[in-house]
Amino acid sequence: MNRHPAALLALTLTLVLLPLAVACGTEARSGKSRSTGPDGDPPVIGVHWRVDSLTTDGTTRNAPAGAYLRIDDHGRISGNYGCNSFRAPVTVRGDRIVLGPADSTAMACVEGSDFERALSRTLDDGTLTAEVHRDRLTLTAEDGTRVDLTEEKDASLYGTTWRVTSLVDGDSATSVPGAAADRPWLTLDRKAGTVSGGLGCHRFGADATVRDGRLTTRDLKVTGKMCDDSLRAVEKTLIELLGRPLSYRIDHRNIALTSENGKGVQAVAEP
């Protein structure tokens, strides 16, 4: 692999969109309250739902930042209670969501621990009634406890600043190390037909064409300046990676770009 930035001229990203099984998304925004979709399932599948609050016995508590849940079309629910992440089996039957026992991480959480325990009790191995109104979802447990949630859209491939947070090798991921942390990024401009970003020290930009599920760059330009030695290893890794075809998958505000040999990066959309 050419170690120089010119290797980026060969950049080709194979775009593999993560399918979203969102049922009846249009009707859910029609202004009418709908609890079920056309096939009897509530339009909640494939949506990232931010947890806003939990109401028990007339008392409402606001959720910690980062609390969310998402139901996929393979019978699984995953999310975060506000500190710990969880996964559980789930069955959607009409307006009823039936959850099985959850597996969760076991981090010690100080702030929001009371909310987290209450939310986990509500979601763990129970039956919830779902009601959707536009971009809002209400889940009501059999004891009357209510969870209020709001839909959050996935970040767009275009116009988003994707900040590289981790380097991936197979099943393992490590944070971008040392002085390079938080430096590498990229963004795609649909109207201008360009891709640009930073490698850690050097900046790059190129024309970009998306066609038949592939993005190809040409006329790459890279800034030429002296860079700290501590940044060179990360830049070399990124240059080698970007010279290969990459698949990508967007999950809410995260993107994973992976080459055929299992090496890749994970990035997060900046606000």
Side-chain angles (χ1 to χ4, degrees), residues 195-197 203-207 218-222:
V195 60
S196 59
R203 293 282 298 272
F204 75 90
D207 293 334
R218 60 189 182 279
D219 298 332
L220 176 74
K221 295 179 176 61
V222 178

Side-chain angles (χ1 to χ4, degrees), residues 184-233:
W185 62 277
L186 62 88
T187 187
L188 289 160
D189 188 322
R190 184 198 297 269
K191 185 175 181 180
T194 60
V195 60
S196 59
L199 299 169
C201 174
H202 291 97
R203 293 282 298 272
F204 75 90
D207 293 334
T209 302
V210 178
R211 182 179 296 123
D212 298 327
R214 300 178 72 86
L215 181 144
T216 305
T217 65
R218 60 189 182 279
D219 298 332
L220 176 74
K221 295 179 176 61
V222 178
T223 59
K225 61 179 181 178
M226 296 297 293
C227 298
D228 190 276
D229 289 344
S230 62
L231 301 176
R232 290 179 181 174

Side-chain angles (χ1 to χ4, degrees), residues 105-165:
T105 57
M107 295 186 295
C109 307
V110 179
E111 294 186 8
S113 58
D114 290 342
F115 182 95
E116 176 152 315
R117 285 192 294 269
L119 180 59
S120 64
R121 285 195 301 266
T122 300
L123 298 180
D124 186 35
D125 200 11
T127 299
L128 304 171
T129 301
E131 183 177 358
V132 176
H133 180 70
R134 294 186 179 179
D135 62 348
R136 300 296 180 90
L137 169 65
T138 300
L139 299 176
T140 305
E142 294 177 333
D143 65 359
T145 299
R146 188 180 77 245
V147 185
D148 291 306
L149 310 97
T150 301
E151 177 182 359
E152 286 191 345
K153 300 291 186 182
D154 287 348
S156 172
L157 173 66
Y158 293 98
T160 299
T161 297
W162 295 105
R163 183 71 58 180
V164 178
T165 56

Side-chain angles (χ1 to χ4, degrees), residues 159-181:
T160 299
T161 297
W162 295 105
R163 183 71 58 180
V164 178
T165 56
S166 302
L167 305 177
V168 177
D169 187 355
D171 294 331
S172 64
T174 57
S175 298
V176 175

Side-chain angles (χ1 to χ4, degrees), residues 1-269:
M1 176 61 64
N2 192 330
R3 296 185 179 185
H4 298 288
L8 286 170
L9 287 169
L11 171 62
T12 300
L13 303 179
T14 302
L15 307 182
V16 183
L17 288 170
L18 175 68
L20 298 179
V22 183
C24 197
T26 301
E27 293 189 44
R29 298 174 180 82
S30 65
K32 297 180 179 180
S33 179
R34 282 182 62 89
S35 59
T36 60
D39 298 322
D41 294 338
V44 299
I45 297 173
V47 178
H48 183 102
W49 295 104
R50 183 190 70 225
V51 180
D52 296 323
S53 63
L54 179 72
T55 301
T56 306
D57 297 329
T59 300
T60 298
R61 287 176 282 182
N62 293 328
Y68 79 94
L69 62 83
R70 186 168 191 153
I71 300 173
D72 64 25
D73 56 354
H74 301 295
R76 300 290 296 179
I77 184 172
S78 59
N80 189 288
Y81 296 127
C83 173
N84 284 288
S85 299
F86 71 91
R87 293 179 62 87
V90 65
T91 302
V92 179
R93 297 172 180 164
D95 64 350
R96 298 299 178 92
I97 299 177
V98 182
L99 295 92
D103 295 322
S104 67
T105 57
M107 295 186 295
C109 307
V110 179
E111 294 186 8
S113 58
D114 290 342
F115 182 95
E116 176 152 315
R117 285 192 294 269
L119 180 59
S120 64
R121 285 195 301 266
T122 300
L123 298 180
D124 186 35
D125 200 11
T127 299
L128 304 171
T129 301
E131 183 177 358
V132 176
H133 180 70
R134 294 186 179 179
D135 62 348
R136 300 296 180 90
L137 169 65
T138 300
L139 299 176
T140 305
E142 294 177 333
D143 65 359
T145 299
R146 188 180 77 245
V147 185
D148 291 306
L149 310 97
T150 301
E151 177 182 359
E152 286 191 345
K153 300 291 186 182
D154 287 348
S156 172
L157 173 66
Y158 293 98
T160 299
T161 297
W162 295 105
R163 183 71 58 180
V164 178
T165 56
S166 302
L167 305 177
V168 177
D169 187 355
D171 294 331
S172 64
T174 57
S175 298
V176 175
D182 297 326
R183 287 175 175 261
W185 62 277
L186 62 88
T187 187
L188 289 160
D189 188 322
R190 184 198 297 269
K191 185 175 181 180
T194 60
V195 60
S196 59
L199 299 169
C201 174
H202 291 97
R203 293 282 298 272
F204 75 90
D207 293 334
T209 302
V210 178
R211 182 179 296 123
D212 298 327
R214 300 178 72 86
L215 181 144
T216 305
T217 65
R218 60 189 182 279
D219 298 332
L220 176 74
K221 295 179 176 61
V222 178
T223 59
K225 61 179 181 178
M226 296 297 293
C227 298
D228 190 276
D229 289 344
S230 62
L231 301 176
R232 290 179 181 174
V234 171
E235 287 211 340
K236 176 179 178 292
T237 298
L238 294 175
I239 288 170
E240 291 180 348
L241 176 68
L242 294 172
R244 300 169 179 164
L246 299 171
S247 64
Y248 95 80
R249 184 176 68 180
I250 294 176
D251 181 7
H252 187 46
R253 301 192 63 78
N254 300 286
I255 188 170
L257 302 110
T258 311
S259 64
E260 292 182 353
N261 66 2
K263 295 183 181 296
V265 297
Q266 295 174 350
V268 62

